[in-house]
């Protein structure tokens, strides 16, 4: 686990890399003068490595496979795999329409204990969808790990009876922000 100072520094660095100011249209259609671009911290190899290192201690020891959720969970799961040696699977939003036509890539997951890896979770909709695809692939999902929990209150996803283990929370980012 990260000590408090390392946690504050990682939160500050993620916030500095990902919080943008300008004129943005949000998914809801509303306009905002600030936007959190999660791909900014995933695209920086030094910051991505630190995020992966912060998430690794959260992985339950019985884990057999890390499953990155398309798109943001894939680079983090890959970085975690490189650092730990755990194999990785990739969960698509939709099965690909050619070749193997799979929704879950990376080998047979039947009966394997899998941890879902995501970058930022607000409501958990993508994680619920990924869990359903992993179930269809025969995986046994045991936990969800994310870089940043942006949902309010304790980290839990409605409709999923799984532990949600965040490296950081929205409150961590707010507390570390210099803006």
């Amino acid at each position: 686990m990260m000590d408090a100072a390392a946690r504050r520094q990682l939160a500050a660095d993620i916030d500095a890399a990902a919080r943008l100011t300008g004129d943005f249209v949000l998914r809801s259609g509303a306009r905002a003068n600030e936007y959190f671009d999660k791909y900014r911290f995933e695209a920086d190899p030094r910051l991505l490595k630190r995020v992966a290192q912060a998430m690794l201690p959260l992985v339950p020891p019985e884990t057999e496979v890390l499953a990155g959720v398309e798109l943001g969970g894939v680079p983090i799961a890959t970085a975690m795999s490189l650092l730990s040696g755990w194999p990785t699977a990739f969960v698509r939003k939709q099965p690909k329409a050619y070749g193997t036509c799979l929704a879950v890539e990376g080998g047979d997951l039947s009966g394997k204990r899998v941890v879902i890896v995501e970058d930022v979770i607000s409501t958990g909709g993508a994680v619920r969808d990924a869990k359903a695809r992993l179930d269809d692939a025969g995986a046994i999902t045991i936990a969800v790990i994310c870089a940043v929990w942006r949902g309010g209150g304790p980290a839990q996803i409605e409709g999923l009876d799984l532990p949600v283990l965040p490296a950081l929370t929205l409150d961590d980012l707010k507390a570390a922000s210099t803006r």
Side-chain angles (χ1 to χ4, degrees):
M1 292 299 217
M2 284 187 292
D3 65 34
R7 184 181 184 95
R8 277 191 305 277
Q9 188 61 58
L10 181 58
D13 293 346
I14 287 174
D15 186 74
R19 188 177 307 278
L20 306 176
T21 56
D23 183 29
F24 303 98
V25 177
L26 304 178
R27 184 182 309 181
S28 65
R31 295 191 88 79
N33 61 7
E34 194 172 79
Y35 182 73
F36 185 80
D37 184 353
K38 61 190 181 178
Y39 299 113
R40 296 288 180 110
F41 75 79
E42 294 177 60
D44 177 330
R46 290 174 301 280
L47 194 48
L48 175 61
K49 182 178 181 180
R50 289 173 52 212
V51 168
Q53 288 170 326
M55 292 171 70
L56 279 173
L58 304 174
V59 178
E62 66 272 20
T63 300
E64 295 176 278
V65 178
L66 303 171
V69 178
E70 181 186 3
L71 174 68
V74 169
I76 296 174
T78 302
M80 291 172 69
S81 176
L82 288 168
L83 292 169
S84 69
W86 271 306
T88 307
F90 308 107
V91 184
R92 294 175 177 275
K93 292 178 183 171
Q94 298 293 324
K96 70 179 180 180
Y98 58 91
T100 60
C101 300
L102 295 174
V104 179
E105 302 282 358
D108 184 13
L109 297 182
S110 297
K112 298 220 173 134
R113 291 179 299 276
V114 174
V115 168
I116 295 173
V117 177
E118 182 63 299
D119 53 2
V120 177
I121 300 175
S122 296
T123 64
V127 172
R128 279 191 298 276
D129 293 346
K131 165 78 165 64
R133 287 185 181 78
L134 288 165
D135 289 349
D136 290 345
I140 302 164
T141 305
I142 61 172
V144 177
I145 297 175
C146 63
V148 180
W149 170 257
R150 291 188 66 180
Q156 58 188 51
I157 297 172
E158 185 178 333
L160 285 187
D161 187 25
L162 291 171
V164 178
L165 309 166
L168 298 168
T169 66
L170 180 59
D171 288 341
D172 292 325
L173 296 180
K174 286 180 180 177
S177 180
T178 59
R179 298 176 196 192

